[in-house]
Amino acid sequence: MAKMFRISRRKFLIAFDGGSASLLASLFVLSRFGALDRVIAGIVTAGRPSTNKEILITGQRLPIPELEAGEMIGGQRVFDLRIQRGSMAFVTGKQTPTFGYNGEMLGPTLVMDKGDDVVLNVTNNLGEPTTTHWHGLHLPAVMDGGPHQRIEDGETWRANFTILNEPATYWYHPHLDGKTADHVYHGLSGLFIIKDEVTDNLGLPQQYGIDDIPLIVQDKFFNEDGSLNYPGTSEGVKGDTILVNGAITPVLEVPAQVVQFRLLAASNARICNFGFSDNRQFYQIGTDGGLLETPVPLTRLLLSTGERAEILVDFGADENREIKLRSYSSERENIDAIWARDLLDISDFDVMTIRVAAATQDAVTRLPGSLATIARFDESQADTTRTFKLQMSSFRINGESMDMNRIDETVKLDDVEIWEVTNSSEMSHPFHIHDIQFLILTKNGSQPPNNERGWKDVVLVKLGETVRIIAQFSDFADPDTPFMYHCHILEHEDGGMMGQFVVV
């Protein structure tokens, strides 16, 4: 049934725009008999289903990316990253060609302190051009790693800057114009962890890989020969197989104590609504760019592509139990239009299994009462208000598609600005701004939920929604080299839903 209805978005919309009564009638009948969800699975965002899932290698121990602190040379913390091709075993008896940093897939977790002078040497051995963008970091435009900092095959790019960001979880990934989605899908992503003495003394879990766990969540399609199936559809590729840290629905053993998860939604397009199989309460302590003021209790956490969250989960009473981390996607509100959904958008699915073992000797058993102080801007401080309209037609922002040779906005150094972002399309869009961390003022006129009242660099703008954010553009001015703002559904970004701004 699904295969028969595998039609493109364009044909689907043309049928509606042309007033196809037969198509509307068919969808009505299918919905009445419970078959519409199966038809949705055939729409272009679902792509071609993975090979027989019985031969996919699942349930492996969760891989933990290597922790890399760099080498101190002349007062600078120096990291060496190699972009390379590799292979992984995801399908029984087959090898999957992949991309990775310093390994087969994904990359090491880079850890550094606020105030560090860092050098990142990035060597491209991919066989084609790419870039590496330091997502969420506040830094000079020429060091941002966006599409203007192209690394040719065989070349090494040297990025050097001071870490000015607040302690949090950031990430790095390619950002080549027109190829970002392809390169990330094949494995190029990794984490930054920024620390300082204040956060180190909050009593949070700090044993990396034991009670401080990175979780890079993605989804893929696999072909019968083991290769990754990348449909490349501009609407956004959503795979039918969930990976965490490069393993399919893996198993993680945690101690019976308070554990910190550093969640990164690193899919090309999928939005996840995280929760646990026993509906337990957990606490969000951090957003994209820093700690919240106090822990926020939750049972669900919605993260769109590019967003990060640090959460604390108390497993103290759960020794010898097994719990699932899930996405409760069926509960999502303001879900995308029918043509933009797949089955995992309208159903709940497991992300990984958690098995609880004995506590460690130095177990964290209590949650901190307070975390950080956030210096908030008042709207009266704003020097300028800008408006942005997100449009699916030809993937535009304010009626314009991305042009590497056009500067869309000019911002004055040290100005505080309000950006109003309105989604007039049929899909939700995660809106990302390079260089800055912002605070959300309102969503459709209402205050953001408590867990979104910290520093952010990505905000999900749902269907028909207007989100107002405020930020200051400080420290770095460059009239010639732009920063980006864009939808973080990677195929939308590659398709033109991206603009450029300079700070002068």
Side-chain angles (χ1 to χ4, degrees):
M1 175 70 73
K3 186 173 182 180
M4 186 176 79
F5 280 90
R6 186 164 294 119
I7 59 176
S8 71
R9 168 185 180 269
R10 183 177 298 275
K11 290 180 180 178
F12 188 86
L13 292 180
I14 287 172
F16 275 100
D17 291 343
S20 173
S22 60
L23 178 56
L24 289 170
S26 297
L27 291 175
F28 175 76
V29 171
L30 288 165
S31 66
R32 287 291 300 274
F33 286 92
L36 182 57
D37 290 353
R38 294 194 296 276
V39 173
I40 291 170
I43 294 173
V44 70
T45 49
R48 185 171 61 190
S50 289
T51 185
N52 182 357
K53 290 203 170 187
E54 293 182 1
I55 63 172
L56 291 177
I57 300 171
T58 64
Q60 293 178 305
R61 185 182 180 123
L62 177 76
I64 302 295
E66 181 180 353
L67 190 67
E68 175 61 66
E71 182 180 1
M72 296 302 297
I73 303 175
Q76 295 179 310
R77 191 178 296 276
V78 180
F79 299 87
D80 293 310
L81 292 175
R82 299 177 308 280
I83 304 173
Q84 61 193 55
R85 292 177 182 263
S87 66
M88 297 278 287
F90 293 109
V91 176
T92 302
K94 307 289 185 181
Q95 284 292 307
T96 300
T98 55
F99 298 166
Y101 290 95
N102 296 4
E104 306 301 315
M105 191 175 187
L106 301 179
T109 297
L110 310 181
V111 62
M112 56 202 70
D113 293 325
K114 184 178 179 180
D116 277 352
D117 182 9
V118 300
V119 175
L120 296 117
N121 299 310
V122 186
T123 300
N124 179 14
N125 295 324
L126 196 61
E128 59 184 272
T130 189
T131 81
T132 294
H133 165 55
W134 320 114
H135 181 122
L137 295 194
H138 176 49
L139 73 184
V142 293
M143 300 298 172
D144 184 54
H148 291 275
Q149 288 81 54
R150 182 182 174 106
I151 313 172
E152 299 296 336
D153 181 47
E155 290 187 352
T156 297
W157 175 57
R158 182 180 185 270
N160 177 206
F161 50 91
T162 300
I163 299 297
L164 300 178
N165 288 71
E166 294 300 313
T169 306
Y170 304 89
W171 66 305
Y172 58 96
H173 62 79
H175 210 303
L176 186 65
D177 189 36
K179 290 287 287 185
T180 299
D182 187 6
H183 288 178
V184 172
Y185 190 84
H186 283 86
L188 290 176
S189 297
L191 290 179
F192 280 100
I193 295 177
I194 295 177
K195 295 175 171 285
D196 70 3
E197 291 184 359
V198 175
T199 53
D200 285 348
N201 292 320
L202 284 175
L204 299 171
Q206 296 185 55
Q207 301 175 86
Y208 181 80
I210 298 174
D211 64 1
D212 183 358
I213 310 294
L215 299 178
I216 302 172
V217 181
Q218 299 175 305
D219 52 280
K220 315 286 184 190
F221 293 115
F222 293 94
N223 293 318
E224 292 182 5
D225 64 1
S227 63
L228 285 169
N229 171 14
Y230 179 64
T233 171
S234 60
E235 283 77 13
V237 174
K238 300 174 183 177
D240 62 358
T241 302
I242 304 302
L243 281 71
V244 185
N245 295 355
I248 300 173
T249 52
V251 176
L252 169 67
E253 183 176 286
V254 300
Q257 60 199 61
V258 175
V259 172
Q260 177 174 214
F261 291 128
R262 298 177 183 267
L263 278 163
L264 164 62
S267 291
N268 281 38
R270 187 171 302 288
I271 299 169
C272 289
N273 190 30
F274 293 105
F276 293 92
S277 54
D278 58 359
N279 281 317
R280 67 176 54 218
Q281 190 174 78
F282 56 92
Y283 295 84
Q284 185 171 350
I285 60 169
T287 49
D288 300 333
L291 292 173
L292 291 161
E293 292 176 312
T294 58
V296 177
L298 300 170
T299 58
R300 298 288 186 267
L301 172 60
L302 187 71
L303 287 184
S304 60
T305 58
E307 288 188 288
R308 288 89 63 209
E310 295 163 11
I311 65 172
L312 297 181
V313 189
D314 188 355
F315 295 107
D318 298 308
E319 188 171 349
N320 298 321
R321 288 193 60 202
E322 184 173 287
I323 301 114
K324 305 280 189 181
L325 176 64
R326 285 184 176 154
S327 177
Y328 289 89
S329 297
S330 67
E331 300 174 5
R332 276 186 56 198
E333 297 178 358
N334 287 15
I335 197 165
D336 301 330
I338 289 176
W339 58 262
R341 306 182 210 171
D342 70 355
L343 282 181
L344 295 187
D345 284 327
I346 57 174
S347 57
D348 304 335
F349 57 87
D350 290 342
V351 174
M352 70 177 190
T353 299
I354 299 166
R355 292 175 181 159
V356 185
T360 62
Q361 288 187 342
D362 50 356
V364 174
T365 58
R366 293 188 300 177
L367 301 175
S370 61
L371 297 166
T373 300
I374 297 175
R376 300 185 182 276
F377 298 107
D378 188 88
E379 291 192 37
S380 63
Q381 295 177 260
D383 299 286
T384 303
T385 296
R386 300 178 193 267
T387 58
F388 300 85
K389 186 175 182 180
L390 309 180
Q391 302 158 289
M392 285 293 290
S393 174
S394 301
F395 297 98
R396 299 173 185 268
I397 300 177
N398 288 346
E400 299 282 358
S401 287
M402 169 66 178
D403 184 341
M404 290 274 285
N405 298 311
R406 186 189 67 240
I407 301 301
D408 299 280
E409 306 289 341
T410 299
V411 177
K412 292 182 180 179
L413 183 66
D414 292 329
D415 270 7
V416 175
E417 295 200 355
I418 293 173
W419 287 22
E420 296 183 353
V421 186
T422 299
N423 182 0
S424 61
S425 77
E426 298 171 290
M427 288 186 68
S428 297
H429 298 287
F431 190 76
H432 172 49
I433 307 175
H434 290 209
D435 176 46
I436 61 165
Q437 292 290 325
F438 55 76
L439 296 170
I440 301 172
L441 291 172
T442 59
K443 290 187 165 188
N444 273 355
S446 299
Q447 293 288 314
N450 289 336
N451 68 308
E452 291 190 86
R453 295 186 184 182
W455 294 111
K456 298 279 291 170
D457 55 61
V458 180
V459 60
L460 182 62
V461 188
K462 298 177 182 178
L463 279 69
E465 190 171 53
T466 293
V467 175
R468 300 172 68 248
I469 60 178
I470 191 167
Q472 185 171 30
F473 296 78
S474 59
D475 299 311
F476 305 113
D478 185 339
D480 301 315
T481 307
F483 292 107
M484 308 291 122
Y485 56 87
H486 57 86
C487 175
H488 217 285
I489 292 176
L490 300 184
E491 287 79 16
H492 293 187
E493 168 189 335
D494 283 342
M497 195 176 282
M498 180 160 63
Q500 303 188 112
F501 71 95
V502 291
V503 181
V504 298

